[in-house]
Amino acid sequence: MERSYKQLFGEQAGFVLHSMSLNSQEDPEFVEGRMVGGNDLATYIDNKVPALGLNRILILGLEA
């Protein structure tokens, strides 16, 4: 997982983001975000519907 973060975001930012993710495992908002991401992935695999959960949060300011 750490390696994928580093490949996506670069060595330093990937390390920081991975560390933050590890430290947030018990945070309710982080857990909910993980669930939304997992549901988006399942919907994409099953129905080829693009994952929009993160867009809803970042662009529209909606809750997870």
Side-chain angles (χ1 to χ4, degrees):
M1 189 63 106
E2 183 178 349
R3 189 168 79 190
S4 66
Y5 272 69
K6 289 179 179 179
Q7 286 178 324
L8 286 170
F9 303 108
E11 190 71 26
Q12 187 174 11
F15 176 79
V16 170
L17 289 168
H18 181 258
S19 297
M20 289 172 59
S21 296
L22 290 177
N23 291 329
S24 298
Q25 294 296 307
E26 303 299 321
D27 182 285
E29 289 182 7
F30 185 82
V31 171
E32 188 173 352
R34 277 194 346 238
M35 295 299 293
V36 169
N39 290 335
D40 274 355
L41 177 61
T43 300
Y44 177 75
I45 290 170
D46 293 342
N47 304 314
K48 303 299 184 242
V49 174
L52 299 174
L54 186 58
N55 283 335
R56 284 189 354 221
I57 296 167
L58 296 177
I59 295 171
L60 300 176
L62 301 176
E63 297 288 323

